Amino acid sequence: MARTQGSRADITGPLIREQARRLFARQGYAAVSMRQIAAEVGVQAGALYAYTRDKQTLLFELLEEHMLELLAAWRDDPGGMPLDRLEKFVRFHIDFSLDRSDAVFLSYMELRNLDPENHARIADLRGRYEDALEAILRDGVGAGVMKIDDSRLATMALIAMLTGVTNWYREGGRLDRERIGDIYWRLAQGAVRAENEG
């Protein structure tokens, strides 16, 4: 019997997060009630509290899960050529984001709904990811292959550009992912490449 309950919990917990992520992304965090999430999952509203303390905690857990997954998936090669590393980052960020468009939307649009403590935690995780890109840009400047006036601003601009793909991309559309990666890589190169680099 305990095994059955455990296996049900293993299904219900992720299902709650999946439905909450979808509803928050489609309707906005403020407009979604715990009762709505419960209805989508097929449980009583009170049952949700066996899996999460409240709606704020649920949003925080979704954002934290996304950022931890992002940080765990990214692998840099600090000894590699900066332009190669930047290309790898561009393609990684696009692919990762397109596979998780709802999570990406939440991480940018609903961060403001976190309480100060939770906001600080997510901002710290986001800062670690931004630092990873900024390190590549700084190395590129140091190697003379990139020309950037402000590496932090360039970092924020590049991430915003790459993340924006999730706003318009549709599977099966005019451009496939590889082609999008090619185009965005050329855009990124144009934004950072030193003039003497061909």
Side-chain angles (χ1 to χ4, degrees), residues 62-134:
L62 290 171
L63 299 188
E64 182 183 48
E65 178 182 38
H66 174 69
M67 286 308 307
L68 289 174
E69 187 181 0
L70 177 65
L71 287 165
W74 168 242
R75 291 285 180 268
D76 190 14
D77 175 17
M81 300 295 289
L83 285 171
D84 292 340
R85 292 162 60 199
L86 180 59
E87 179 178 7
K88 181 180 173 185
F89 184 94
V90 166
R91 295 182 186 278
F92 164 81
H93 189 90
I94 289 173
D95 283 340
F96 189 93
S97 297
L98 289 178
D99 286 337
R100 300 160 183 84
S101 57
D102 283 348
V104 170
F105 180 84
L106 288 188
S107 71
Y108 283 88
M109 299 306 297
E110 299 295 354
L111 185 64
R112 65 183 183 271
N113 282 307
L114 292 177
D115 65 31
E117 182 179 350
N118 287 339
H119 187 287
R121 165 68 175 156
I122 301 304
D124 177 65
L125 293 173
R126 183 180 292 186
R128 286 166 51 189
Y129 185 65
E130 292 163 354
D131 290 346
L133 174 55
E134 188 173 9

Side-chain angles (χ1 to χ4, degrees), residues 20 24 28-37 48-49 52-62 110 113-114 118:
F24 290 162
Y29 170 79
V32 175
S33 68
M34 292 293 270
R35 188 174 300 279
Q36 277 180 276
I37 297 169
L48 294 185
Y49 298 99
T52 187
R53 191 169 65 220
D54 51 32
K55 193 170 79 159
Q56 169 71 201
T57 302
L58 184 53
L59 176 63
F60 168 72
E61 289 170 348
L62 290 171
E110 299 295 354
N113 282 307
L114 292 177
N118 287 339

